[in-house]
């Protein structure tokens, strides 16, 4: 038996590439995303009453990586990148059905000219197709006594430092998106490097909005070296 689903909406996100996206929602609460609902799901009736909820579940397709298929065992970054667990014991993107699930804060529901949801803290790539939205119901779904397996708390955070050059470039940006500095700092504090990489000489780039943020990581500290403005397509 096969089932066919179509997206009800698409995500607009500052995360333009996979590298640098937090590994779970709410780790970078400075991220502001929009879920644009698509016709016919963008009728105001479809979201009536949703504004009463503070958080929503977003079900989405890992569309950028789904062509790579799946493996029964995966190496979660939280286990250092070597130990393996079963795909169903992980939140890995490569799954038999490449469907993701993120709990995100709902900031606003807008119904002028279609319908869109303003979201905070989501871990989603720009262009992600969304299959469904459901309100989060705290009395059923908040389980503080639950065991978290190998994910027993938030990941360690790096200190983040701005070089003078990057600070100058930030100040010189014309009309930057609101909260850009906080977004950069929170993303880098997550340590976006793959689990097995620790090369202080290596310079990385994370693309946020239309900016390439160049940085390196040394002795537990991320240094922001440069902000490059990319050509918009
Ligand atoms: N919270 C979700 C879950 O548990 O299903 C996602 C967890 S998954 C580990 C989070 C990662 O998915 C992000 O760090 C990003 O690299 C990746 N990702 C986000 N949107 C994606 C997309 N549309 N296609 C492929 N990968 C995506």
């Amino acid at each position: 038996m096969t089932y066919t689903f179509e997206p009800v909406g698409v995500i607009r996100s500052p995360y333009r590439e996979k590298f640098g996206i937090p590994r779970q929602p709410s780790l970078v609460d400075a991220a502001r995303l929009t879920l644009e609902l698509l016709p016919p799901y963008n009728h105001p009736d479809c979201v009536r009453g949703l504004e009463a909820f503070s958080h929503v579940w977003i079900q989405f397709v890992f569309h950028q990586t789904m062509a790579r298929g799946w493996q029964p065992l995966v190496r979660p970054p939280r286990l250092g990148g070597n130990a393996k667990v079963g795909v169903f014991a992980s939140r890995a993107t490569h799954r038999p059905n490449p469907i993701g699930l993120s709990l995100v804060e709902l900031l606003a529901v807008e119904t002028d000219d279609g319908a869109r949801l303003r979201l905070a803290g989501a871990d989603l790539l720009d262009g992600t197709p969304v299959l469904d939205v459901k309100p989060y119901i705290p009395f059923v779904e908040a389980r503080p006594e639950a065991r978290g397996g190998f994910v027993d708390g938030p990941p360690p955070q790096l200190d983040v430092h701005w070089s003078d050059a990057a600070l100058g470039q930030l100040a010189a940006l014309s009309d930057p998106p609101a909260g850009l500095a906080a977004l950069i700092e929170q993303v880098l504090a997550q340590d976006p490097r793959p689990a097995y990489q620790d090369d202080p000489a290596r310079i990385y780039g994370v693309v946020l909005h239309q900016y390439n943020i160049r940085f390196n990581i040394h002795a537990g500290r991320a240094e922001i070296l440069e902000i490059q403005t990319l050509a918009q397509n």
Side-chain angles (χ1 to χ4, degrees):
M1 184 89 70
T2 58
Y3 303 89
T4 305
F5 301 109
E6 64 175 19
V8 299
V10 63
I11 291 288
R12 295 292 160 228
S13 165
Y15 301 121
R16 306 292 162 84
E17 295 180 355
K18 257 190 87 210
F19 182 65
I21 303 180
R23 296 184 174 109
Q24 288 299 334
S26 81
L27 295 173
V28 172
D29 59 18
R32 295 287 179 270
L33 296 87
T34 300
L35 168 54
E36 292 279 358
L37 291 165
L38 297 169
Y41 316 106
N42 64 350
H43 191 282
D45 282 356
C46 296
V47 291
R48 191 191 300 176
L50 188 60
E51 71 285 351
F53 295 86
S54 65
H55 292 73
V56 289
W57 291 107
I58 303 285
Q59 276 180 311
F60 62 94
V61 180
F62 289 113
H63 74 302
Q64 197 181 72
T65 50
M66 58 186 287
R68 283 191 235 147
W70 67 283
Q71 299 286 333
L73 290 171
V74 300
R75 301 171 197 263
R78 286 302 288 274
L79 290 176
N82 282 325
K84 295 179 181 176
V85 301
V87 64
F88 298 131
S90 84
R91 310 294 291 251
T93 55
H94 299 96
R95 319 185 68 78
N97 294 308
I99 294 173
L101 181 66
S102 291
L103 178 62
V104 302
E105 186 178 0
L106 176 63
L107 300 175
V109 179
E110 296 175 356
T111 53
D112 57 304
D113 190 22
R116 69 197 72 76
L117 309 184
R118 303 286 183 194
L119 308 171
D123 51 349
L124 303 174
L125 187 66
D126 191 45
T128 296
V130 169
L131 297 177
D132 204 359
V133 178
K134 294 183 186 183
Y136 171 71
I137 302 175
F139 97 90
V140 181
E141 296 174 310
R143 304 303 295 259
E145 78 284 12
R147 291 196 309 276
F150 59 87
V151 194
D152 55 0
Q157 299 255 313
L158 297 177
D159 290 331
V160 179
H161 177 259
W162 289 82
S163 68
D164 290 342
L167 265 186
Q169 289 157 350
L170 179 71
L173 293 178
S174 68
D175 201 20
L180 178 63
L183 177 66
I184 293 171
E185 289 171 10
Q186 290 183 15
V187 164
L188 298 191
Q190 298 301 310
D191 192 349
R193 297 172 300 175
Y196 49 85
Q197 276 185 20
D198 187 16
D199 177 359
R202 182 161 176 170
I203 296 177
Y204 297 88
V206 161
V207 178
L208 298 171
H209 297 280
Q210 68 271 38
Y211 308 106
N212 182 28
I213 315 301
R214 286 166 52 79
F215 66 98
N216 66 5
I217 295 179
H218 179 50
R221 190 174 94 151
E223 167 118 18
I224 306 166
L225 302 171
E226 186 181 6
I227 300 180
Q228 297 174 332
T229 301
L230 304 171
Q232 302 231 47
N233 44 20

